[in-house]
Amino acid sequence: MITRRGFLRFIGGSFLSVASFSAYAVGIEPMLLTHVKRYALTPPHWPAGLKLRVVALADIHACRPWMTPERIASLAEEANALQPDLIVLLGDYIAGMRLVSQRVTPPEWAGALSGLKAPLGVVSILGNHDWWADGFAQRAEVGPTIARKALEKAGIPVLENDAVRLEKDGHGVWIAGLADQLALLPKKKHEPPRGLDDLDGTLAKISDAAPVILLAHEPDIFPKMPWRVSLTLSGHTHGGQVRLFGYSPIVPSQFGNRYAYGHVVENDRNLIVSGGLGFSNLPIRFGMRPEILQIDLG
């Protein structure tokens, strides 16, 4: 039989454990030095002799005190130091929660990202929060959003249902980018957000047999991805923000943990989902440090 003293010790220990967990998850892990998550793969129908290093940043969610312009500029320097051939930005630059001390404006975060440099350039897509935070775009149900304008003013092209052909060492490679799959908030209760993505229309713009890397903020499009696409890169999930033993309790995806995080191979098709850099809803990360992706292809 448990004694009163034993019960109080149990309660005290539980309280300290919860307090310690909360302090670490809110105050420490989100601000740890960014982890570089490295992948090396040769996707299907990848040209022999084409070696391509892609560095990806996802889900910055700029806000104070968590993701300041100074920290974003530092992330840009870290990305450059990885010596990428190409840098891709996977959406959600705008804060996704209310627990902030101050907003970071689009000119501020886009200006910090303007320091990104790579021989083949920097390309970007938008995320759901980049659309949801823009009241005018929501009412008009069309862009360009404030986020897109800020990125383009900073010299970073934005791909929304579009594709661009790059070349390295005599080999071509297509970078395709989807418009967001959750772009428009519902006008009625219990309706899901509506997407502006057009996968078929985007791939129709690819005019030769060069490999395709497709950028899609949400990974839920992956089951529809044709084998023609060598690699799909996504963000959005933040790896669940809390991840233990390869499992995330809450994942913003209709597929749950199937596409929550990491390298997924299905039917010889490849998807890599970034754990991201910032967070939405709550400023918590546990078992899922902020990360930059380094992907070596070929």
Side-chain angles (χ1 to χ4, degrees):
M1 181 176 179
I2 189 170
T3 65
R4 180 175 180 273
R5 179 173 293 181
F7 176 75
L8 290 176
R9 283 179 179 172
F10 172 77
I11 293 295
S14 299
F15 176 79
L16 288 174
S17 296
V18 171
S20 298
F21 169 85
S22 300
Y24 177 82
V26 175
I28 298 176
E29 185 158 325
M31 302 304 290
L32 285 174
L33 290 176
T34 307
H35 172 59
V36 178
K37 180 67 175 179
R38 293 177 169 87
Y39 297 93
L41 64 149
T42 302
H45 52 82
W46 189 262
L50 174 57
K51 294 189 178 297
L52 186 72
R53 174 170 291 180
V54 180
V55 165
L57 286 73
D59 302 289
I60 289 171
H61 289 298
C63 64
R64 293 181 173 88
W66 313 106
M67 192 63 72
T68 64
E70 293 77 17
R71 188 178 180 197
I72 297 169
S74 177
L75 291 170
E77 292 179 1
E78 290 183 52
N80 293 343
L82 297 174
Q83 298 182 312
D85 297 303
L86 172 70
I87 297 174
V88 299
L89 304 176
L90 300 176
D92 271 4
Y93 315 95
I94 292 177
M97 62 179 183
R98 296 179 180 178
L99 295 176
V100 302
S101 62
Q102 188 178 359
R103 297 286 173 177
V104 174
T105 67
E108 288 180 299
W109 56 253
L113 290 171
S114 68
L116 291 166
K117 305 293 179 187
L120 297 183
V122 183
V123 296
S124 67
I125 57 172
L126 301 181
N128 54 305
H129 286 283
D130 305 320
W131 276 89
W132 293 357
D134 191 325
F136 181 82
Q138 288 295 314
R139 290 188 294 272
E141 298 188 351
V142 68
T145 61
I146 294 170
R148 174 166 186 160
K149 292 176 183 177
L151 286 163
E152 291 179 337
K153 189 171 182 180
I156 300 173
V158 180
L159 301 178
E160 291 188 281
N161 299 328
D162 207 351
V164 60
R165 190 181 190 278
L166 306 175
E167 190 164 316
K168 185 193 178 203
D169 298 333
H171 296 281
V173 59
W174 289 89
I175 310 299
L178 287 187
D180 191 68
Q181 301 158 58
L182 303 171
L184 301 177
L185 290 166
K187 296 186 181 299
K188 297 180 181 179
K189 288 184 179 180
H190 310 301
E191 288 184 351
R194 288 189 292 125
L196 296 174
D197 55 300
D198 181 0
L199 179 59
D200 292 339
T202 301
L203 296 181
K205 297 179 179 180
I206 293 168
S207 58
D208 61 27
V212 180
I213 298 172
L214 188 135
L215 316 179
H217 179 66
E218 295 89 0
D220 285 14
I221 194 73
F222 187 60
K224 300 178 182 177
M225 203 62 61
W227 188 78
R228 173 72 179 86
V229 175
S230 295
L231 175 64
T232 302
L233 299 179
S234 294
H236 181 64
T237 64
H238 307 182
Q241 291 187 193
V242 174
R243 191 167 179 83
L244 299 171
F245 308 109
Y247 177 80
S248 301
I250 300 175
V251 182
S253 165
Q254 62 176 313
F255 296 100
N257 270 265
R258 181 175 169 184
Y259 305 134
Y261 176 68
H263 185 194
V264 179
V265 181
E266 292 183 354
N267 300 321
D268 209 23
R269 297 168 303 130
N270 286 263
L271 165 71
I272 294 177
V273 182
S274 170
L277 291 158
F279 27 60
S280 57
N281 296 322
L282 291 172
I284 292 174
R285 278 185 177 266
F286 188 83
M288 182 49 58
R289 283 176 58 180
E291 69 178 24
I292 294 174
L293 297 187
Q294 175 187 304
I295 306 158
D296 289 303
L297 299 170

